[in-house]
Amino acid sequence: MVSSGYRAILKEEIGPEAKNFINNLLIVTLGSGLASLGTFAFTILGGRLLGPEEFGKFSLIQSVAFILYIPMLAGFGVGLVKYASETSNLLQQKKILGTTFRLTALTTVVSVIVILLLRPWIIEIFSITPEMLIIALFVSVVYVLSSMANSVQRGLKLMKSYAVWQPVYAFILLVLFGVFAFLRVDSFRAMALPLLVAYGITGLGIMIMLGVRNHLSFGYDYNTAKKLMKYSFFGLIVLISSSIYTNVGRIFVAHYLTFSDVGVYSAYFGSSINLGSILFLTFNAVFFPTISGYEDQRPVLAKFERILPYFVIGGITGVFIFESIALRLFGEGYPRDIWLMVLFAATTVLNIWYLVYSNVFNAKGLRGAKYSAVTVVIMALVIFSLSFGLIPIFGVAGAVGASAISFGVGIIFLRGFRQQVFGRLNDQPPTNLN
C-alpha cells in the first residue's frame, strides 16, 4: 500500500532509503499520534474547565517559557542532532553529546541568573504577574532538559525509544490535570503545573535510560565545541526569530486586548497551527536526521515540490475540518468564525511549507543554516512590525494575518536562496530517496 502510494505520487519505485525512512516515520507517528491525542485532550479539557481568561493566562505562560528557554538552549540541540546523526562512531557521538551537555548547562545557569535580575522588566514587557513569570521560568528550564533528551534520541536515531516516550509525557499531563480537576482547581495552575512536572519527569527519565544504555557522556572536547558553536550560532538566530513569530501573536493580543482574547486566539491556534507543528515535529524527528546524512539534498526538495499541490489543498481542507470539530469541543466561550478558521487553516499550511524548506536548508550544514537564519530574522521583523498595526485594528484576525504574511515571506526568500545553496534542482537526477 505504501509502495503503491509512493509510486502513484512520485512516479517512481520506492527504494531502500525511502523504505527505511517510511518505517522510522511510521514508528514515530504511532507514538506521537498517541501523544497528540493526549495533549489535545489536555488542551480541550483545560480550555473548557478554565474558560477563556484562565486558559489565556496558561497560554501566555507557555509563550513566555518558550521565549525564556532560547538563551538556555542556545541552538545546541539542533547542532547535536545534525552532527550526531552524521556519524555512526559511538565514541565520536559521545564526544558530541558530552560537549553539548556542558555547553547547555552553562548557558542555562547564566540565563536563569540574568532572567532573575531582569525580572521587573520582563513582567512589564510580557504583561504577566510575578507568579506567572516564576512558573514560566521553571517550565523553560525543564523544557531544556526534555528538549535535549529528545535531541539525543533523534541524533542517535533511537526512533523506537523516541516513539515510546512521547505518549508517556501526554499520560503524565492528563493524570495530573485530572488530579487538579478533582480538587476543583480552576485557575491557570491546573494546566501549568502538570506541564512543568511532565517535562521534568520525561526529560529525566530519558536521560536515565540513555545512561543505562551507555549512550551518555559528559566529557568535553574543544574542537567539537568550536564546531557546535559555529553551527549553533545560526541555530540560535533561527530559535530566537522562530520563537518570536510563533509566540508574538499571544503576547501582542495580551498587550492590546484581554486574557480572554488570548484564550480565544490560543483555542484557534491549538486547533490549527499547533496541530500542524505537532505533525511536522513528528515527521521531522525522522526527516532531519535522515537528510542530514545526505551529501545532496536536492532530490528531497524536488520530491516535495512535486507533491506541493496535494499538500496545500489537502492541508487547508483537513485543518479546517479539524478546527470545526475542535472549537465545538472547547465550548461556548470560544466563538466560531468561518473566515477566521479559513485564515488559521491557510496559515498552518504556510507554516509547514516553510518548515520543510527551512530544515532542508539546515541539513546542508553551515551554508544552508546561514541562509535559513537570514530568512527567519526577516520573518521575525515582518511579523513584529505587522502585529503593531494589525492587532489593534483587527484583533485576533490581525494576529494570525501577520503570521500568514510572515510565513509567506519566509517561503519566498528560501525559494530565492535555493540556487545559491543547492544549485539547480534538475542538475542531476534525484537519487537519495530511491
Side-chain angles (χ1 to χ4, degrees), residues 266-277:
S266 298
Y268 276 87
F269 187 92
S271 305
S272 56
I273 298 172
N274 192 54
L275 167 70
S277 297

Side-chain angles (χ1 to χ4, degrees), residues 160-381:
K160 289 183 180 178
S161 172
Y162 182 89
V164 168
W165 279 99
Q166 297 303 301
V168 171
Y169 161 77
F171 176 76
I172 295 169
L173 270 183
L174 282 173
V175 169
L176 291 179
F177 177 75
V179 171
F180 280 103
F182 178 76
L183 296 174
R184 299 186 182 279
V185 177
D186 56 0
S187 74
F188 63 86
R189 301 174 194 85
M191 297 187 75
L193 296 179
L195 185 73
L196 174 65
V197 175
Y199 278 140
I201 290 177
T202 52
L204 191 59
I206 293 169
M207 287 298 191
I208 292 172
M209 177 207 71
L210 292 169
V212 170
R213 292 186 180 183
N214 197 32
H215 286 301
L216 293 187
S217 169
F218 296 96
Y220 182 83
D221 180 75
Y222 177 74
N223 291 327
T224 301
K226 279 180 65 177
K227 185 167 70 169
L228 278 168
M229 284 190 280
K230 276 186 181 178
Y231 186 85
S232 297
F233 171 75
F234 297 104
L236 177 60
I237 294 174
V238 171
L239 204 58
I240 292 170
S241 304
S242 62
S243 185
I244 289 173
Y245 71 67
T246 302
N247 296 290
V248 74
R250 287 192 188 98
I251 292 166
F252 272 98
V253 169
H255 180 75
Y256 286 113
L257 306 174
T258 66
F259 283 131
S260 292
D261 291 311
V262 177
V264 171
Y265 174 85
S266 298
Y268 276 87
F269 187 92
S271 305
S272 56
I273 298 172
N274 192 54
L275 167 70
S277 297
I278 289 171
L279 293 175
F280 179 77
L281 285 173
T282 301
F283 170 77
N284 201 45
V286 181
F287 180 65
F288 184 71
T290 300
I291 64 173
S292 289
Y294 295 160
E295 291 183 8
D296 187 359
Q297 285 79 21
R298 282 178 294 180
V300 180
L301 279 175
K303 283 179 166 57
F304 175 68
E305 297 196 349
R306 264 190 258 173
I307 66 169
L308 202 49
Y310 305 98
F311 166 71
V312 172
I313 296 170
I316 292 175
T317 304
V319 173
F320 181 85
I321 293 170
F322 186 82
E323 279 182 289
S324 303
I325 298 168
L327 289 170
R328 289 182 182 277
L329 295 175
F330 268 103
E332 295 180 0
Y334 304 86
R336 291 182 295 279
D337 182 309
I338 296 296
W339 292 112
L340 198 56
M341 291 164 64
V342 170
L343 188 54
F344 268 95
T347 304
T348 301
V349 170
L350 288 170
N351 180 31
I352 298 175
W353 185 349
Y354 159 73
L355 288 171
V356 171
Y357 274 172
S358 177
N359 276 273
V360 174
F361 270 66
N362 290 336
K364 190 66 178 174
L366 282 175
R367 184 170 52 166
K370 288 176 184 178
Y371 284 98
S372 181
V374 169
T375 300
V376 82
V377 169
I378 294 168
M379 290 171 63
L381 292 173

Side-chain angles (χ1 to χ4, degrees), residues 28-70:
V28 172
T29 300
L30 178 61
S32 295
L34 292 172
S36 297
L37 288 174
T39 53
F40 180 67
F42 169 74
T43 303
I44 293 290
L45 293 171
R48 287 184 68 97
L49 175 69
L50 303 186
E53 183 170 349
E54 292 298 317
F55 181 60
K57 290 179 182 178
F58 163 72
S59 300
L60 198 55
I61 286 172
Q62 269 190 309
S63 289
V64 173
F66 291 152
I67 290 174
L68 296 182
Y69 98 99
I70 294 170

Side-chain angles (χ1 to χ4, degrees), residues 2-3 6-7 10 12-26 283 286 290 294 303 431-434:
V2 172
S3 299
Y6 186 95
R7 193 183 310 113
L10 296 175
E12 62 188 48
E13 293 297 324
I14 189 169
E17 287 277 2
K19 279 185 180 178
N20 185 56
F21 173 81
I22 291 170
N23 287 335
N24 282 331
L25 183 60
L26 289 174
F283 170 77
V286 181
T290 300
Y294 295 160
K303 283 179 166 57
T431 55
N432 283 331
L433 285 181
N434 288 339

